[in-house]
Amino acid sequence: MHILITGAAGMLGAKLARSLVTDPPEGLSRLTLLDVAAPQPPVGAPVPIVASTLDVADPSAVAARIAKRPDVVFHLAAVVSGEAEADFDKGYAVNFDGTRALFDSIRALPDYRPRVVFASSIAVFGAPFPETIPEEFHLTPLTSYGTQKAMGELMLADYTRRGFLDGIGLRLPTICVRPGRPNKAASGFFSNIIREPLAGKEAVLPVEEDVRHWFASPRAAVGFLRHALAMDLEAIGPRRNLTLPGLSATVGEQIEALRRAAGDEAVARIRREPDPVIAGIVAGWATRFDAGRAEGLGFRAERTFDEIVAAHVEDELGGTVGARG
Ligand SMILES: NC(=O)c1ccc[n+]([C@@H]2O[C@H](COP(=O)([O-])OP(=O)(O)OC[C@H]3O[C@@H](n4cnc5c(N)ncnc54)[C@H](O)[C@@H]3O)[C@@H](O)[C@H]2O)c1
């Protein structure tokens, strides 16, 4: 089985590649890691790895990679929400045209129907929301990023229906705790207020503690992607895009989980600095979903924010909270 990952230099792509190398799925024979930024191949791979730059907005470059006929394509490459909103042309070129170029290069090959796992987002939904967003809620995104992901979902379902590929779209929750440096994404503070205090650093909280959102850990996200690799796609039926399970938590509940893991001194590193712009953006975001269909198909996420903090401490901090005491 030849697996190809686009966006392999990104947070989830790199974690997925490492997981496939350390715990290879049965039959893995080759791994192709592609990203506009050079991907780092994980060491110790039991199979040949090609790691190379690729711009998914370049149709002939995409077609050349797909000509190798990978059995599974994880399409994770994307311009994320803030940038897609700031740069309209780039967002459409990568997230929509790039996705279509990928799907069309698959369609162009005879006798070829790979599994395609597409990273979608809860940004395909837009306010006003009911308290819990049901499986059947309409796709009415309120950002260019969400619109591009929604169009990707529709193409995935149609190309699957037409028999060009065998697709599954995963509407990922907000992935928290995101490792690395703080970024400027409006959602960044959800991760910053856990990651930075655990590392002994200060973090800024721009919203009130009653703000609620929908989360899963990077570990759970890799689990979702691997489940999509292994599962029987026929079981999904024609609605190939799934809202994935997550955990609905308030910022206050996040902070209490941090306190239980690392004490009052860690919590004291959170500096309240209200930002009406961020508060306004976040107020339009979804807080809770019914993910019963994906759960019924075997997708699993954390049930408490303590589990999310523990996953971060184990996976990123070597299992110890260095900042404590
Ligand atoms: N992290 C989250 O909270 C979250 C939530 C919902 C959906 N998603 C989706 O999951 C996927 C992975 O997310 P992530 O957190 O790893 O994001 P990331 O930003 O860390 O990774 C995305 C990768 O795509 C690459 N990329 C951008 N433009 C490209 C192009 N033209 N050609 C090739 N590669 C290009 C980037 O270089 C980057 O390495 C994305 O599609 C994202 O939209 C993520």
Side-chain angles (χ1 to χ4, degrees):
M1 177 173 52
H2 174 189
I3 297 179
L4 181 151
I5 304 174
T6 74
M11 189 263 289
L12 292 181
K15 282 186 179 291
L16 174 63
R18 203 170 314 124
S19 162
L20 294 172
V21 162
T22 52
D23 180 16
E26 207 182 318
L28 181 69
S29 58
R30 189 177 185 80
L31 210 47
T32 299
L33 308 178
L34 303 172
D35 197 295
V36 75
Q40 292 297 322
V43 289
V47 296
I49 300 191
V50 171
S52 175
T53 54
L54 171 87
D55 181 354
V56 295
D58 176 348
S60 57
V62 171
R65 291 294 172 184
I66 292 301
K68 308 276 185 216
R69 294 177 175 249
D71 303 291
V72 180
V73 175
F74 284 98
H75 182 35
L76 310 183
V79 169
V80 294
S81 55
E83 196 176 0
E85 204 60 23
D87 190 336
F88 184 88
D89 290 319
K90 187 174 182 186
Y92 273 82
V94 175
N95 296 350
F96 177 53
D97 299 336
T99 299
R100 185 161 186 212
L102 176 68
F103 292 0
D104 269 341
S105 64
I106 291 170
R107 181 171 71 96
L109 294 180
D111 305 320
Y112 178 52
R113 188 169 179 258
R115 177 171 298 219
V116 175
V117 182
F118 172 59
S120 189
S121 163
I122 54 175
V124 297
F125 302 114
F129 293 125
E131 198 185 326
T132 299
I133 299 176
E135 292 280 356
E136 311 303 329
F137 201 67
H138 40 80
L139 301 190
T140 40
L142 292 176
T143 58
S144 293
Y145 170 81
T147 304
Q148 293 144 13
K149 290 290 189 189
M151 292 192 294
E153 286 194 5
L154 291 172
M155 282 194 292
L156 183 91
D158 194 38
Y159 281 50
T160 297
R161 183 184 65 81
R162 297 292 296 258
F164 304 139
L165 48 81
D166 197 12
I168 175 168
L170 306 178
R171 289 179 197 130
L172 298 168
T174 290
I175 304 304
C176 185
V177 178
R178 189 181 172 92
R181 291 153 53 98
N183 66 14
K184 291 208 163 65
S187 61
F189 70 86
F190 288 122
S191 286
N192 299 348
I193 60 167
I194 305 296
R195 185 191 58 242
E196 298 303 302
L198 283 173
K201 298 180 193 154
E202 205 175 71
V204 171
L205 174 60
V207 301
E208 299 295 325
E209 288 195 16
D210 61 356
V211 165
R212 180 177 283 284
H213 196 48
W214 183 246
F215 302 107
S217 71
R219 186 194 284 184
V222 170
F224 296 150
L225 294 165
R226 293 207 55 157
H227 188 61
L229 170 68
M231 69 184 289
D232 170 16
L233 295 189
E234 293 303 316
I236 308 176
R239 295 187 181 169
R240 289 299 185 105
N241 296 286
L242 297 169
T243 297
L244 293 183
L247 164 72
S248 178
T250 64
V251 167
E253 287 163 0
Q254 286 190 277
I255 292 172
E256 288 316 306
L258 173 68
R259 194 187 310 278
R260 284 189 289 276
D264 292 339
E265 60 274 47
V267 172
R269 296 189 186 104
I270 300 173
R271 186 158 46 86
R272 273 124 180 114
E273 213 173 84
D275 181 331
V277 175
I278 291 184
I281 295 171
V282 173
W285 288 355
T287 57
R288 199 191 299 268
F289 290 85
D290 173 3
R293 202 156 71 92
E295 279 172 342
L297 289 162
F299 288 91
R300 295 283 175 270
E302 288 83 7
R303 300 227 172 259
T304 66
F305 209 86
D306 298 83
E307 288 176 64
I308 290 184
V309 174
H312 176 73
V313 171
E314 285 170 29
D315 295 349
E316 308 294 337
L317 304 177
T320 50
V321 179
R324 187 158 204 176

